[in-house]
Amino acid sequence: GEKGMSAKEACAYLRQVLIDVNRAFLELEVEARYKSTAEAQVDLDDVNEYFSPAQGNVLFISALNSWGFDTRSLANFYAPRLSKVMGREVPKDKLASIMWDYHLHKTQNDVKIRKLELDQSTGLPKHKSLFEDVVSHLWAALDDPEVYVPKLIQAGDIAAAPYPLTGSTLLAEWMPLRQLLLRAAELLPSPAEGAER
């Protein structure tokens, strides 16, 4: 996978980066409030989620290999497959909003989607999130392209390329960075909104 990490390690790393970024933004907010008021009454442990995959404002990219995704693009791929497992339709927009914080709970007779519980000692989820489940397939294509690239081509209804696909080239074809950069432009505030902040 990317940076020599497993999918599980990468997801844990991304969770920590988001916690750190959100904490930094909260500290900036506290500093701005402190300058404008006599007392700042904000608890730094009460970190607002300025950036959250569940809100759709986080993009995951490999600039080196020109591919990227967000929870919406993963949901577009995963929803039909999850619908088959669940035995009912799973709406793509709903899946995009929950896949970071929920996991599949399978029993002998049923499959349910449940909120992740965090391990108190590590702060990491006790179960594999829906997001990590999908990312593990992408990582498999990077780690073992001969086996997993054909599977992802078939599962993703991707047209065969006129050249051999590695894991990285498959992801660049399937989830091109240029499309995600257009998505990033949708997420940015207008210049007028930015000036107000």
Side-chain angles (χ1 to χ4, degrees):
E2 290 283 294
K3 296 182 77 171
M5 295 181 183
S6 69
K8 182 176 185 153
E9 291 167 332
C11 287
Y13 176 77
L14 292 171
R15 281 185 186 278
Q16 188 58 53
V17 167
L18 283 170
I19 289 168
D20 294 345
V21 167
N22 282 318
R23 184 173 298 275
F25 268 78
L26 181 63
E27 288 172 358
L28 289 172
E29 184 178 303
V30 168
E31 185 178 313
R33 284 187 192 175
Y34 185 71
K35 286 180 181 177
S36 64
T37 62
E39 294 181 28
Q41 297 292 327
V42 180
D43 181 3
L44 285 178
D45 290 327
D46 184 25
V47 177
N48 293 323
E49 286 197 336
Y50 297 95
F51 301 101
S52 168
Q55 294 175 27
N57 63 1
V58 176
L59 309 176
F60 304 93
I61 66 167
S62 172
L64 179 64
N65 296 305
S66 298
W67 58 269
F69 57 89
D70 60 358
T71 54
R72 185 171 70 174
S73 59
L74 290 183
N76 286 337
F77 169 74
Y78 197 50
R81 287 138 192 85
L82 186 57
S83 295
K84 286 180 185 175
V85 171
M86 300 285 299
R88 59 183 161 80
E89 184 181 354
V90 176
K92 293 175 185 177
D93 58 337
K94 178 69 174 170
L95 180 59
S97 70
I98 66 167
M99 68 187 323
W100 183 256
D101 295 315
Y102 285 76
H103 71 99
L104 276 184
H105 178 75
K106 297 178 184 177
T107 63
Q108 191 171 10
N109 301 323
D110 199 14
V111 178
K112 294 182 180 179
I113 297 176
R114 292 200 173 152
K115 181 107 171 111
L116 285 174
E117 296 176 36
L118 298 180
D119 184 309
Q120 296 295 340
S121 62
T122 65
L124 297 174
K126 291 181 178 179
H127 304 282
K128 183 191 251 188
S129 69
L130 293 167
F131 177 85
E132 184 182 337
D133 189 40
V134 177
V135 168
S136 66
H137 294 291
L138 305 180
W139 250 243
L142 294 170
D143 291 337
D144 193 359
E146 290 180 13
V147 172
Y148 288 97
V149 166
K151 289 180 180 182
L152 281 175
I153 288 173
Q154 184 179 13
D157 297 323
I158 300 165
Y163 49 86
L165 290 174
T166 64
S168 291
T169 57
L170 169 69
L171 296 178
E173 287 282 324
W174 183 30
M175 297 184 270
L177 188 54
R178 65 184 175 276
Q179 285 182 333
L180 204 60
L181 292 177
L182 292 174
R183 172 86 174 109
E186 294 172 10
L187 296 173
L188 294 173
S190 71
E193 289 173 355
E196 291 174 6
R197 293 180 185 185

